Amino acid sequence: MKIMKFGGTSVGKPHRMHEVATLITKDTEAKIVVLSAVSGTTNALVEIGNFLMERRKEEAKIKIDTLQEKYNAFIQELVSTTDAKHKAEEIIKEHFEFLNIILRISYNEALNKDILAQGELLSTKLFSVYLTEKGIQHQLLPALDFMSIDVNDEPQVDTIRQKLNGVLANYPGFVLFITQGFICRNARGEVDNLKRGGSDYSASLIAAAANASVCEIWTDINGMHNNDPRIVNKTIPIEQLSFDEAAELAYFGAKILHPASIWPAQQYNIPVKLLNTMEPEAKGTLIQEKAASLGVKAVAAKDGITAINIKSSRMLLAYGFLRKVFEVFEKYRTPIDMITTSEVAVSLTIDNDTALPQILKELESFSTTSVDKGQTIVSIVGAEIAVHPNTLKKVFDSLQNIDVRMVSYGGSAHNISILVASGQKIQVLQQLNIGLFGLH
Ligand code: ADP
Ligand code: ASP
Ligand code: MG
């Protein structure tokens, strides 16, 4: 069995959905097809949720109506028979009635997750209507029946496998399944999600749970590029990456993959392919256990980083100091990305600063702190780059005019990270593109 995941742009227009139908029926291998919401939908749903949170109901209503009109137009081109059009209209009606009911209920977090789930529910159900119209036998699998996260909001492959096998057992003889990316149930049984961009993560978790032959991530670009194509003019696709390399790139900001989407595939050794729906014959990127070569492969950047400098009030970095520091971050469930130390101080970075006030308060009971917001981590990734001759020199030669706030080297053999003010990110990515890849 293989997994094929199609992102927002890949299902973003009726004719794109038609192309997806062609792609998933090209071979006879059994498959689970994971779909994102139609592009723009999740952003619109986030805005609707925000309006409701701020009690701006009229604006929420306008957004809901505009989105509904978009879907009404979408299905006119998606399907052609009266019967299919009728079915599609009923689906749209059902989901928009739900959004309109929510307008009358007072806002809460759980309800907001329900709002966000509508995008993937709509895309998969409408796609299913199209497949039926085309006579393509398939079964729609509700992701909420098998995708789950535990009390710590973490997905567990074993639990998902057990549930998925239970669901699949109801459909012997079926070879084509369609399901929603992104959405899941949490430990309280409520509708939840795997965070923005989470459909990649869904696909990889399902691939691990189903012991798939391959996890194909179909998107709008020819695989992982050596640098961020939204920022740098000249970037080139990478044919092969190891799981370690891909995981570092995803975690440190390469938007093509959800930050956590590699570990399930890596843990269960399932190859991942990044492919382009707009150019299905292009090679894309193959991600598997072994690196194709040593040395620098790509650069990625992660914004929204806060740097915290923590100075021991005893003016000595006595043993026990770091433990006390880490305990504070653990207590507030705030992961640390980068860390550097000196004799008396430690500098570290976090990307989630929701608990920052409480964290600072506790740190200040045994240290003095200072905070720099608006930072960006730029990661240079490639197998064994930490020991690859000259990499570090090339990085710093490329960045002579840049104020580097922190450097992390040697923690991972595959990653060198630097911290810069976000205002310098574009310049850093461009200069590294020239200095490391010779791409102008
Ligand atoms: P999807 O909707 O299919 O999940 P995304 O928008 O989430 O697609 O991811 C694909 C986009 O990621 C590309 O269009 C590209 O702009 C962006 N991107 C950022 N960094 C990279 C990179 N290193 N390689 C390829 N794409 C990247
Ligand atoms: N639709 C969700 C989002 O836009 C999940 C995804 O596309 O991967 O974040
Ligand atoms: Mg994505």
Side-chain angles (χ1 to χ4, degrees):
M1 172 171 262
K2 74 172 173 179
I3 310 302
M4 297 175 84
K5 175 259 170 178
F6 294 87
T9 329
S10 304
V11 293
K13 292 272 175 338
H15 73 271
R16 295 240 173 275
M17 279 202 181
H18 299 166
E19 284 157 18
V20 170
T22 309
L23 287 169
I24 63 173
T25 48
K26 264 196 172 151
D27 63 72
T28 52
E29 186 174 2
K31 44 188 81 78
I32 301 180
V33 175
V34 179
L35 298 189
S36 289
V38 167
S39 57
T41 301
T42 311
N43 285 346
L45 295 168
V46 168
E47 285 178 51
I48 291 166
N50 288 343
F51 280 141
L52 289 180
M53 185 173 66
E54 295 163 7
R55 295 169 188 272
R56 291 157 67 183
K57 294 205 171 179
E58 288 79 30
E59 285 148 290
K61 174 70 180 149
I62 293 168
K63 261 259 113 74
I64 292 172
D65 290 347
T66 314
L67 193 61
Q68 184 164 8
E69 279 163 30
K70 190 177 140 185
Y71 275 91
N72 285 332
F74 191 95
I75 58 165
Q76 296 312 317
E77 283 179 49
L78 179 70
V79 290
S80 42
T81 61
T82 323
D83 182 42
K85 282 201 169 135
H86 179 70
K87 275 197 230 154
E89 278 158 12
E90 287 299 307
I91 290 163
I92 293 174
K93 222 167 97 193
E94 177 201 340
H95 287 275
F96 282 88
E97 258 171 30
F98 175 77
L99 288 173
N100 278 298
I101 289 169
I102 282 183
L103 267 182
R104 298 195 287 267
I105 306 174
S106 57
Y107 175 91
N108 64 58
E109 245 328 294
L111 210 54
N112 194 38
K113 304 265 177 69
D114 269 315
I115 297 175
L116 297 184
Q118 301 309 305
E120 272 70 11
L121 292 170
L122 276 163
S123 65
T124 46
K125 288 187 187 181
L126 295 176
F127 184 59
S128 170
V129 172
Y130 173 67
L131 291 182
T132 305
E133 183 184 59
K134 286 278 142 196
I136 299 169
Q137 208 197 17
H138 69 283
Q139 180 59 45
L140 198 58
L141 295 182
L144 297 176
D145 289 353
F146 62 90
M147 283 301 290
S148 58
I149 49 178
D150 65 12
V151 283
N152 297 314
D153 290 343
E154 295 291 345
Q156 301 296 342
V157 172
D158 287 341
T159 316
I160 295 169
R161 174 182 299 122
Q162 216 177 5
K163 292 182 181 172
L164 179 63
N165 285 344
V167 174
L168 289 175
N170 296 324
Y171 307 104
F174 275 78
V175 289
L176 181 60
F177 298 95
I178 314 295
T179 194
Q180 298 85 25
F182 183 57
I183 62 174
C184 61
R185 265 186 209 287
N186 63 28
R188 295 179 295 281
E190 300 155 348
V191 173
D192 212 316
N193 61 64
L194 300 173
K195 311 267 163 59
R196 295 306 305 271
S199 297
D200 304 327
Y201 200 13
S202 303
S204 170
L205 287 162
I206 295 170
N211 196 21
S213 61
V214 60
C215 176
E216 295 182 351
I217 308 275
W218 289 83
T219 180
D220 56 6
I221 188 164
N222 291 349
M224 180 75 79
H225 280 216
N226 74 303
N227 205 330
D228 193 326
R230 295 166 301 176
I231 294 175
V232 173
N233 278 336
K234 180 108 188 71
T235 61
I236 46 168
I238 307 166
E239 273 185 32
Q240 273 191 53
L241 285 171
S242 68
F243 286 128
D244 285 333
E245 290 171 327
E248 298 270 6
L249 287 168
Y251 187 77
F252 287 106
K255 195 205 169 206
I256 187 170
L257 284 171
H258 177 282
S261 58
I262 291 298
W263 76 256
Q266 179 163 27
Q267 200 167 319
Y268 292 84
N269 200 17
I270 297 177
V272 176
K273 280 187 188 166
L274 307 180
L275 296 159
N276 189 352
T277 321
M278 284 80 204
E279 219 186 305
E281 304 308 324
K283 270 208 175 112
T285 302
L286 169 67
I287 303 166
Q288 24 83 318
E289 184 57 39
K290 271 209 159 57
S293 61
L294 304 184
V296 181
K297 299 281 169 37
V299 173
K302 183 170 166 180
D303 292 323
I305 303 294
T306 299
I308 310 168
N309 188 267
I310 306 155
K311 205 165 166 193
S312 164
S313 47
R314 292 174 52 217
M315 291 308 287
L316 257 183
L317 193 63
Y319 55 83
F321 174 65
L322 282 179
R323 179 180 52 76
K324 278 167 83 176
V325 169
F326 288 145
E327 272 173 2
V328 175
F329 287 86
E330 188 183 342
K331 179 169 167 192
Y332 293 99
R333 298 177 60 185
T334 301
I336 296 167
D337 282 336
M338 280 176 79
I339 178 155
T340 59
T341 62
S342 80
E343 188 203 356
V344 292
V346 43
S347 247
L348 50 80
T349 71
I350 56 174
D351 69 353
N352 173 1
D353 63 3
T354 25
L356 186 61
Q358 295 97 305
I359 288 173
L360 290 178
K361 195 162 170 242
E362 294 212 13
L363 289 174
E364 278 157 12
S365 70
F366 60 91
S367 64
T368 50
T369 62
S370 64
V371 172
D372 289 318
K373 293 202 174 194
Q375 305 288 304
T376 293
I377 296 176
V378 175
S379 291
I380 299 109
V381 172
E384 311 291 340
I385 49 167
V387 293
H388 205 71
N390 276 335
T391 309
L392 205 53
K393 180 173 183 313
K394 278 193 199 158
V395 169
F396 285 104
D397 283 352
S398 313
L399 302 178
Q400 281 179 16
N401 53 341
I402 303 290
D403 299 320
V404 176
R405 163 80 170 73
M406 273 172 79
V407 182
S408 176
Y409 176 81
S412 153
H414 319 297
N415 179 334
I416 298 169
S417 288
I418 59 166
L419 188 73
V420 296
S422 297
Q424 291 198 305
K425 174 179 80 168
I426 298 178
Q427 211 182 336
V428 169
L429 292 184
Q430 278 167 344
Q431 287 178 201
L432 287 174
N433 216 40
I434 299 168
L436 295 176
F437 304 99
L439 294 169
H440 293 261

